[in-house]
Amino acid sequence: MRYALRKQAKIASVYSEAYLKEHIISSLDSYFGKCDDERITDDISQEGYVTSTGEDYPLLKINDLADDNAMLEFAVIGLECDILKLSFLGRIKG
C-alpha cells in the first residue's frame, strides 16, 4: 500500500518545509515501507475525526521518527487502488 498526503504546501507553510520532510514525510515513508497492507488496515482506528462540515473520517496514528515522544495523526480521506489518501491533523504526545 502507498500513501498520498494532501496539502503539503499548506503543511510546510504552517510548520516549515524542514518539519514536513524530517518529521512527516520521513515517518510516513518508514511506516509504509515497513508495514504490510494488513497491518496498515489494522492500524486505522475507527475512532473518527469529524470535520467542521460534519464529515467523519477514520484516523491513522504513526510514530514520529524525529521525536520519540510524539505521534503524527492523519485523517484517512479515502482509498483508491492501493493508495491511502491522508490529511495531516497534527502532532500528539506519544
Side-chain angles (χ1 to χ4, degrees), residues 2-82:
R2 299 175 292 160
Y3 73 90
L5 180 61
R6 299 178 54 211
K7 301 184 180 182
Q8 291 185 33
K10 183 177 179 181
I11 296 167
S13 72
V14 172
Y15 290 89
S16 79
E17 189 70 34
Y19 186 87
L20 173 65
K21 290 179 181 175
E22 294 168 17
H23 290 260
I24 300 170
I25 299 295
S26 66
S27 297
L28 282 168
D29 287 347
S30 175
Y31 175 78
F32 278 84
K34 291 179 182 175
C35 297
D36 62 22
D37 292 0
E38 185 176 341
R39 167 73 189 271
I40 293 168
T41 302
D42 288 347
D43 285 349
I44 296 173
S45 169
Q46 293 310 306
E47 165 193 344
Y49 167 73
V50 180
T51 66
S52 59
T53 58
E55 296 166 298
D56 191 4
Y57 297 104
L59 296 175
L60 176 64
K61 297 175 185 176
I62 65 171
N63 291 324
D64 183 343
L65 292 182
D67 184 348
D68 291 340
N69 296 318
M71 295 187 79
L72 303 171
E73 190 172 46
F74 302 89
V76 179
I77 304 302
L79 176 64
E80 192 172 310
C81 298
D82 71 334

Side-chain angles (χ1 to χ4, degrees), residues 78-94:
L79 176 64
E80 192 172 310
C81 298
D82 71 334
I83 301 172
L84 202 60
K85 295 180 185 178
L86 302 175
S87 180
F88 180 65
L89 297 176
R91 184 176 169 266
I92 56 176
K93 294 285 180 187

